Amino acid sequence: MCGNNVNNIARTVKWADGWLPAGMHVDRVRAGVKTLHEMAEQAGRDPGPSSLPAIRRPCRQTHQAAVESFRRSQMNKHLVSLAKSTLKGQGTATHEDINLIGTPAEIVDKANAFREAGVTHLLGLYFAANSVQELIDQMQIFGEEVTPKIK
């Protein structure tokens, strides 16, 4: 079940097979997973997986190059628009903080931090790209330099 609110976590425990938060800093994810597990235990249920859809923007050069490229993307524009509705009240974390944006090594570290926070699945749904070639490049970098190093 999707949603970041504690009510969505309660609905996950009652009706769903796993929790799918979005746009959350790793610390909020950790707290949400803890709540999920506590509520599931009280209800006598398996909490199921905690999946995280995350924007990917790996860059072989520098962190700043990855951030600047992400900020030019349509995905960033979309997330900015959601800040007024769906992502309203998500705290002070930036899109760069809550997504897998940076060098391959930085993305591996972020992915492992989410795993340590209780995320069991990273959903590879979104790559911040403005052209087909850019999308192919992002997918290749992620597949070759990130995925093999995620614990």
Side-chain angles (χ1 to χ4, degrees), residues 4 51 54 57 60 62 80 98:
N4 298 352
S51 303
R57 182 65 207 189
R60 287 188 174 111
T62 66
V80 167
I98 60 178

Side-chain angles (χ1 to χ4, degrees), residues 12 34 44 49-51 54 67 75 80 91 100 137 150:
T12 297
K34 182 176 186 254
S50 298
S51 303
V67 169
M75 182 61 69
V80 167
L100 304 179
D137 292 344
I150 296 175

Side-chain angles (χ1 to χ4, degrees), residues 55 93 118 131:
I55 311 306
S131 71

Side-chain angles (χ1 to χ4, degrees), residues 87-121:
L87 297 178
K88 186 176 181 180
Q90 295 299 309
T92 59
T94 67
H95 298 301
E96 293 87 1
D97 292 336
I98 60 178
N99 288 290
L100 304 179
I101 297 168
T103 65
E106 291 169 331
I107 291 174
V108 168
D109 289 345
K110 282 185 180 184
N112 286 329
F114 278 113
R115 182 190 51 76
E116 291 167 6
V119 170
T120 57
H121 296 78

Side-chain angles (χ1 to χ4, degrees), residues 1 6 27 43 53 68 74 86 114 123 127-128 136 138 140 147:
M1 177 157 299
V6 70
D27 293 334
E68 288 171 7
Q74 292 299 315
T86 306
F114 278 113
L123 302 180
F127 284 88
I136 291 168
Q138 293 300 305
Q140 183 173 0
T147 302

Side-chain angles (χ1 to χ4, degrees), residues 32-59:
V33 169
K34 182 176 186 254
T35 300
L36 172 70
H37 284 259
E38 289 169 354
M39 289 179 159
E41 184 178 334
Q42 290 172 355
R45 286 202 65 203
D46 181 336
S50 298
S51 303
L52 185 71
I55 311 306
R56 282 111 170 106
R57 182 65 207 189
C59 181

